[in-house]
Amino acid sequence: MIVPVFEEIEPVSDCDCPGCVLGRRTAPRPSSGGFPGRPAVRGAAVVAAAASAALGAVPQAVAQAGEHAPAGPARLVAPAGPARPGAPAADGTAATPQGGTAPLFGTGTSAAPASRSPALTRTQIINRAKLWVDAQVPYSTTRYWSDGYRQDCSGYVSMAWGLLSNEWTGSLAQFGVKITKDELEPGDILLFHNTADPQNGSHVVIFGGWTDYTRTAYTGYEQTPPHTRRQSTPYPYWNNTTKYVPYRYKNVTSGASGSEPATGGALTPFPGASYFGPGANNKYVTQLGQMLVARGGAAFYSTGPGPVWGEADRRATEAFQKAQGWTGSAADGLPGPRTWELLVTGAGKDIPPVKTGSVPAFPGRDYFRPGANNVYVTQLGQQLVKKGFGSYYATGPGPRWSEADRRAVEAFQKAQGWRGSQADGYPGPETWRRLFT
């Protein structure tokens, strides 16, 4: 059997981070030849969507609007698989830039026919796809992850569907049946295999669920440089929009819909500000935390998220709000209708990675009041001493709020040119930021 020469190309991406830009500029082209039985490899990204229904379309300008404008788990990191310049294709296949149909790396498993692929529920398919997002699997066409699957788009789909071999866009269709757009459900795929010119544009996308009632976009998981990511994707994809064909995995079974149980609240309207903040203990706090973790906030949680409101919830919410470009009271760490809408619809920008040595998050004004006794008071005092405002301390600084702390903060605020209520000796977010910058 002769498999046509094929190349997956990197799909168009809207990400402008240095890694993605560099990847688009410097990604190696496949050689025209190759060692017998060891194909050159070139991959593309794969999108797998987390299912969510929408509360309504989110305006494009939301990043500039701010939180209070009028309302209109622990991370899994698996070790990287071994580097390989290619892997032997299954018997009877030709060397192709994508790698063709190949065994799982390190298992000795031969390419398996569709009838031998395992039965999975939609929940299992989506949860399998999420594993690579949580682990931030590096994109590569020459490496295999610890689960045995190739780290390119077709390898990612093969993993999510639990196939017993690494497939390519020319073979994935045999594991599914054609469906229509209206029939799409989480765990289905959108496949574009360019039979007329296999080296131009072929790609595959995993569908997870619509982001809103218009059915014009879905939340997606994508394997692309520098690593697997999650993002909202226009239906059916960014380019070649007339060429993608929906397919359903043949062995999908009845069961949970797979609409991402971890994030849950796509159908849940904003419950109200009273459900969040110090003293809150309810299911919406848990739901908020789970959505924040899915958007990059896992670093803020040492345990949980759980139903009791904590500093981790406030800091993660603040980080998400700041990621939207909001400042001041619009990024106070307490969710409002706009924050909730962005989270449940998968819109807006994700929380960027926490940088070592960055300004610690402001814990909140309630930690700096008469009677307060906590580590943040000590941290504040120590920073005031470093900045040259330590003359007010006869001893310490320590964890109990005192007049010495208030006077030192007031002196620092006045040094910024602030007067009146802006220099009252009680730190706010801007005082905190300037102290630690």
Side-chain angles (χ1 to χ4, degrees):
M1 170 183 177
I2 302 299
V3 177
V5 175
F6 170 79
E7 173 191 359
E8 286 185 346
I9 69 168
E10 179 183 343
V12 173
S13 169
D14 62 346
C15 180
D16 59 358
C17 73
C20 290
V21 173
L22 181 61
R24 286 193 291 269
R25 292 177 178 173
T26 63
R29 305 298 299 177
S31 62
S32 58
F35 297 104
R38 298 180 66 83
V41 181
R42 171 138 174 90
V46 173
V47 176
S52 59
L55 299 175
V58 179
Q60 292 294 326
V62 68
Q64 290 77 37
E67 166 61 49
H68 300 294
R75 176 166 157 161
L76 171 65
V77 179
R84 298 265 286 180
D91 292 343
T93 61
T96 67
Q98 188 188 14
T101 300
L104 301 187
F105 177 76
T107 66
T109 305
S110 300
S115 60
R116 288 182 54 196
S117 56
L120 293 174
T121 65
R122 296 188 180 282
T123 295
Q124 289 174 314
I125 293 174
I126 293 299
N127 286 342
R128 288 174 66 87
K130 287 172 60 180
L131 290 176
W132 279 24
V133 175
D134 292 340
Q136 295 193 351
V137 176
Y139 174 83
S140 175
T141 61
T142 61
R143 288 179 177 268
Y144 292 75
W145 196 236
S146 55
D147 53 20
Y149 291 96
R150 212 172 39 233
Q151 294 169 213
D152 60 10
C153 80
S154 51
Y156 186 32
V157 174
S158 299
M159 182 277 297
W161 275 7
L163 304 184
L164 303 183
S165 55
N166 282 287
E167 299 300 322
W168 66 305
T169 56
S171 61
L172 281 171
Q174 68 176 306
F175 294 86
V177 293
K178 287 184 180 181
I179 57 176
T180 66
K181 175 183 176 181
D182 291 338
E183 294 174 314
L184 278 167
E185 294 186 56
D188 298 334
I189 66 171
L190 295 163
L191 178 64
F192 168 35
H193 178 59
N194 191 351
T195 55
D197 184 4
Q199 297 195 41
N200 183 21
S202 298
H203 187 49
V204 61
V205 179
I206 300 178
F207 177 88
W210 302 109
T211 60
D212 58 48
Y213 68 93
T214 64
R215 295 193 172 191
T216 57
Y218 55 94
T219 304
Y221 292 87
E222 184 171 5
Q223 177 67 0
T224 188
H227 52 67
T228 319
R229 68 180 181 181
R230 175 183 183 271
Q231 66 176 2
S232 178
T233 306
Y235 179 84
Y237 199 63
W238 305 95
N239 53 15
N240 294 308
T241 57
T242 63
K243 300 178 181 179
Y244 282 82
V245 179
Y247 280 87
R248 173 161 298 156
Y249 179 46
K250 284 183 178 179
N251 291 341
V252 68
T253 63
S254 60
S257 65
S259 55
E260 243 197 303
T263 55
L267 297 177
T268 307
F270 179 60
S274 62
Y275 284 86
F276 307 99
N281 185 342
N282 58 75
K283 65 180 182 179
Y284 299 110
V285 175
T286 301
Q287 185 175 326
L288 173 74
Q290 291 172 339
M291 292 189 294
L292 288 166
V293 167
R295 299 299 296 273
F300 294 95
Y301 293 89
S302 57
T303 60
V308 179
W309 178 268
E311 178 60 12
D313 299 296
R314 193 203 64 77
R315 292 179 62 196
T317 302
E318 179 186 44
F320 179 76
Q321 291 167 333
K322 288 183 175 179
Q324 314 314 310
W326 305 344
T327 58
S329 62
D332 58 3
L334 296 172
R338 193 67 60 83
T339 295
W340 188 265
E341 183 180 19
L342 291 178
L343 286 170
V344 300
T345 60
K349 297 180 179 179
D350 289 348
I351 299 171
V354 177
K355 298 180 180 179
T356 303
S358 61
V359 176
F362 177 60
R365 300 177 189 274
D366 291 341
Y367 287 87
F368 309 102
R369 287 290 183 269
N373 188 338
N374 55 75
V375 296
Y376 299 109
V377 175
T378 303
Q379 188 178 10
L380 172 77
Q382 291 173 340
Q383 194 66 15
L384 285 165
V385 171
K386 289 181 181 180
K387 290 285 189 176
F389 296 87
S391 61
Y392 299 92
Y393 294 97
T395 60
R400 184 176 296 279
W401 179 264
S402 67
E403 179 61 11
D405 296 299
R406 193 201 65 76
R407 293 180 64 192
V409 172
E410 180 183 28
F412 176 79
Q413 291 170 331
K414 287 182 177 179
Q416 312 308 306
W418 303 341
R419 296 294 183 268
S421 61
Q422 293 182 327
D424 60 359
Y426 295 98
E430 185 59 18
T431 297
W432 186 268
R433 185 189 69 79
R434 295 194 182 196
L435 262 176
F436 287 91
T437 298

